[in-house]
């Protein structure tokens, strides 16, 4: 997975191959894909049983992958994965569904609060500071502060798109509730309840959709935002996007500067919560199409422990795309910037172990220690450690994904009339088996809680 493909992509592929050949006696073929193409492409590759060893599996597909025998049970290869287990610690347990080890999570933040990423130059020009904003779903009227900000941006820059990208509050399904592995039956209020409910008919989701509708009808959002597949980072980098919504963490401003070429500020849109899905929302898995799963597991273990691999896949070729500073940080070489660099991702949260690599310049040297402090201080869901086994309702979940994908972006971004489509969406969810899935989640959660 790459943020974008650059001119040095092939060089990075070759360098990773050389490194793996030297250290593991393995040849490696990297297949770069951006977010915009990944979901469809990986599904087709798995269904066609194309040659594939390691891939990124998302939580809402786990049951389908297991049921369809697309993914290898890594519990067979624990001896080959000892280095990765040591890196992940207890979080490795979140990769299990029952006794089946679907994959391994990444070393990153363990909470996904939503934040509005804004261009600092325009923010400063309009006289704003982050401290001026206190936005929280505890008071939905507080989102008027963002509405007023967008109005002033539009007034000062009529052709500027105030917000673009692929997310908005109603799509931030890891920010405001514990989705228990999928969006179909959740624990609301940051997981501080043990009653499974339908988030898509909750007051919170209704409010988020209505805010999105206001922003859309006032022209603050890109008019194709509901079908757009390009990230907010790419939209901002193109030069005509003021803001986008994303998961935020301690070094978001530094990360987004590297990805967009603009200095940014971060306006929090809620609190942080740790749940199981914070670890296993995306797992690095071994495909059943692998010709040698044991070798794939050995490679998987290695990429959690190799500093050189993590620097290569994140920053590119040392000396060309980045250099090491005296402070032990990665930085652009002289004469190179975000617009001219041949390869640069700053996509550490997707890759195995960014903590093994060098932090990017602008971060404090102890940023990885700051992550540990951050992770230890966030609200923990009452269901942390619980992983839903969706196998009994795999058919229903597949149907629900199709229904969700048909409606939720249009509603969350406000691209359709809320009153007209909200009930239609929920009726379609229940017709597809939502209540069955919710009942199964509640049953499994109750059993898990009773065993604690």
């Amino acid at each position: 997975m790459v943020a974008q493909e650059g001119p040095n992509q092939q060089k990075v592929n070759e360098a990773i191959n050389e490194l793996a050949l030297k250290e593991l006696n393995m040849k490696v073929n990297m297949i770069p894909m951006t977010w915009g193409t990944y979901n469809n492409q990986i599904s087709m590759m798995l269904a066609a049983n194309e040659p594939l060893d390691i891939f990124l599996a998302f939580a809402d597909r786990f049951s389908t992958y297991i049921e369809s025998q697309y993914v290898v049970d890594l519990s067979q290869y624990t001896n080959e994965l000892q280095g990765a287990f040591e890196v992940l610690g207890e979080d490795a347990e979140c990769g299990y569904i029952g006794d089946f080890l679907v994959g391994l999570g990444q070393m990153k933040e363990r909470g996904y609060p939503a934040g509005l990423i804004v261009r600092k130059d325009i923010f400063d020009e309009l006289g704003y500071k982050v401290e001026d904003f206190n936005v929280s779903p505890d008071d939905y009227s507080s989102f008027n502060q963002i509405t007023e900000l967008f109005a002033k941006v539009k007034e000062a820059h009529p052709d500027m798109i105030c917000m673009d990208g692929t997310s908005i509050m109603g799509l931030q399904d890891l920010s405001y509730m514990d989705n228990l592995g999928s969006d179909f039956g959740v624990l609301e209020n940051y997981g501080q309840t043990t009653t499974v409910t339908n988030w898509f008919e909750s007051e919170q989701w209704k409010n988020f959709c209505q805010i999105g509708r206001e922003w859309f009808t006032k022209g603050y959002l890109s008019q194709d935002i509901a079908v757009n597949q390009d990230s907010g980072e790419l939209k901002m980098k193109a030069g005509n996007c003021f803001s986008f919504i994303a998961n935020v963490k301690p070094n978001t401003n530094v990360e987004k500067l590297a990805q967009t070429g603009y200095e940014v500020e971060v306006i929090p849109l809620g609190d942080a919560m740790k749940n199981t899905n914070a670890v296993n929302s995306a797992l690095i898995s071994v495909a059943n199409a692998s010709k040698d799963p044991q070798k794939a597991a050995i490679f998987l273990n290695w990429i959690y422990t190799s500093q050189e691999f993590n620097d290569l896949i994140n920053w590119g070729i040392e000396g060309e795309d980045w250099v090491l500073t005296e402070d032990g940080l990665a930085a652009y070489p002289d004469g190179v910037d975000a617009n001219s660099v041949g390869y640069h991702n700053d996509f550490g949260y997707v890759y195995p172990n960014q903590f093994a690599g060098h932090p990017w310049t602008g971060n404090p040297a102890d940023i990885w220690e700051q992550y540990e402090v951050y992770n230890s201080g966030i609200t923990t869901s009452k269901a942390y450690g619980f992983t839903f086994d969706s196998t009994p309702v795999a058919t229903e979940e597949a149907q629900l994904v199709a229904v969700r994908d048909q409606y939720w972006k249009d509603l969350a971004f406000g691209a359709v009339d809320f009153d007209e489509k909200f009930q239609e969406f929920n009726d379609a969810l229940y017709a597809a088996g939502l209540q069955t899935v919710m009942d199964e989640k509640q049953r499994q959660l109750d059993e898990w809680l009773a065993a604690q």
Side-chain angles (χ1 to χ4, degrees), residues 141-436:
S141 68
S142 66
F143 282 85
N144 291 336
Q145 299 169 47
I146 305 299
T147 308
E148 292 167 9
L149 168 64
F150 288 164
K152 290 191 176 181
V153 171
K154 202 67 174 175
E155 182 181 2
H157 301 274
D159 296 329
M160 175 74 61
I161 295 171
C162 296
M163 195 183 95
D164 210 339
T166 57
S167 195
I168 195 168
M169 294 82 68
L171 301 180
Q172 288 287 133
D173 52 354
L174 298 179
S175 295
Y176 299 104
M177 47 75 178
D178 186 341
N179 74 356
L180 301 173
S182 72
D183 297 326
F184 313 115
V186 308
L187 302 182
E188 295 180 48
N189 188 29
Y190 300 104
Q192 299 309 295
T193 175
T194 58
T195 301
V196 176
T197 55
N198 174 18
W199 193 50
F200 294 118
E201 62 181 356
S202 69
E203 288 302 312
Q204 181 169 73
W205 203 70
K206 288 180 186 177
N207 280 303
F208 283 159
C209 290
Q210 288 164 345
I211 293 167
R213 182 64 174 165
E214 180 182 5
W215 293 350
F216 187 87
T217 54
K218 287 184 173 179
Y220 300 152
L221 310 186
S222 163
Q223 292 303 290
D224 68 348
I225 195 168
V227 295
N228 163 63
Q229 293 187 332
D230 289 332
S231 68
E233 291 86 348
L234 285 177
K235 290 289 190 176
M236 185 174 284
K237 186 173 184 177
N240 196 41
C241 170
F242 168 68
S243 73
F244 59 93
I245 287 176
N247 300 325
V248 299
K249 53 192 175 183
N251 63 333
T252 292
N253 59 335
V254 178
E255 180 182 273
K256 300 312 175 189
L257 169 61
Q259 292 173 349
T260 67
Y262 289 98
E263 289 189 17
V264 302
E265 296 282 11
V266 179
I267 301 173
L269 301 178
D271 297 325
M273 167 195 57
K274 179 180 181 178
N275 61 12
T276 306
N277 211 206
V279 180
N280 72 4
S281 59
L283 297 177
I284 303 174
S285 302
V286 173
N288 208 40
S290 174
K291 292 181 179 179
D292 192 336
Q294 184 178 30
K295 286 184 71 174
I298 292 170
F299 178 79
L300 180 57
N301 184 73
W302 174 71
I303 62 180
Y304 276 86
T305 58
S306 169
Q307 180 181 68
E308 194 169 350
F309 170 84
N310 282 281
D311 280 338
L312 268 170
I313 198 168
N314 216 10
W315 311 133
I317 305 297
E318 187 174 4
E320 292 186 36
D321 302 315
W322 68 282
V323 294
L324 192 62
T325 69
E326 292 180 357
D327 298 328
L329 301 171
Y332 290 123
D334 289 341
V336 176
D337 60 21
N339 294 313
S340 62
V341 68
Y343 181 100
H344 184 93
N345 276 308
D346 209 346
F347 234 28
Y349 61 90
V350 171
Y351 301 138
N353 185 11
Q354 62 183 324
F355 296 179
H358 292 93
W360 191 252
T361 188
N363 286 297
D366 67 345
I367 184 62
W368 305 141
E369 288 78 10
Q370 289 188 29
Y371 267 66
E372 292 179 8
V373 172
Y374 168 79
N375 285 339
S376 66
I378 56 184
T379 300
T380 301
S381 166
K382 291 181 181 294
Y384 179 71
F386 167 74
T387 300
F388 175 54
D389 179 5
S390 59
T391 306
V393 290
T395 299
E396 288 86 354
E397 285 226 329
Q399 293 170 170
L400 288 165
V401 167
V403 171
R404 181 198 64 186
D405 291 352
Q406 180 182 349
Y407 287 95
W408 75 324
K409 286 187 178 181
D410 284 344
L411 279 161
F413 283 121
V416 294
D417 182 78
F418 175 80
D419 293 331
E420 179 184 331
K421 290 294 182 180
F422 170 77
Q423 194 59 51
E424 182 181 321
F425 175 34
N426 277 282
D427 288 346
L429 287 172
Y430 283 109
L434 176 59
Q435 191 63 53
T436 300

Side-chain angles (χ1 to χ4, degrees), residues 37-187:
T37 61
Y38 184 79
N39 276 326
N40 289 336
Q41 190 69 25
I42 199 67
S43 295
M44 289 189 291
M45 291 178 70
L46 291 167
N49 203 39
E50 291 185 25
L52 182 67
D53 291 293
I54 291 174
F55 71 104
L56 196 66
F58 295 107
D60 62 357
R61 305 292 197 272
F62 289 167
S63 61
T64 301
Y65 291 163
I66 294 171
E67 191 77 12
S68 303
Q69 298 184 352
Y70 290 162
V71 63
V72 168
D73 179 4
L74 287 176
S75 66
Q76 305 170 73
Y77 302 104
T78 54
N79 289 337
E80 287 79 10
L81 294 169
Q82 289 304 305
F85 288 154
E86 186 175 342
V87 167
L88 287 163
E90 66 177 8
D91 288 338
E93 298 298 316
C94 294
Y96 281 92
I97 294 183
D99 296 328
F100 193 107
L101 182 55
V102 179
L104 302 177
Q106 300 84 3
M107 292 301 293
K108 57 182 179 180
E109 72 279 10
R110 296 303 186 215
Y112 298 107
L116 185 71
I117 317 300
V118 302
R119 270 179 49 174
K120 188 176 186 302
D121 56 346
I122 297 174
F123 200 61
D124 289 349
E125 170 197 326
L126 297 175
Y128 281 108
K129 295 180 180 179
V130 171
E131 300 79 57
D132 298 333
F133 295 82
N134 183 22
V135 182
S136 168
D138 291 337
D139 175 11
Y140 292 102
S141 68
S142 66
F143 282 85
N144 291 336
Q145 299 169 47
I146 305 299
T147 308
E148 292 167 9
L149 168 64
F150 288 164
K152 290 191 176 181
V153 171
K154 202 67 174 175
E155 182 181 2
H157 301 274
D159 296 329
M160 175 74 61
I161 295 171
C162 296
M163 195 183 95
D164 210 339
T166 57
S167 195
I168 195 168
M169 294 82 68
L171 301 180
Q172 288 287 133
D173 52 354
L174 298 179
S175 295
Y176 299 104
M177 47 75 178
D178 186 341
N179 74 356
L180 301 173
S182 72
D183 297 326
F184 313 115
V186 308
L187 302 182

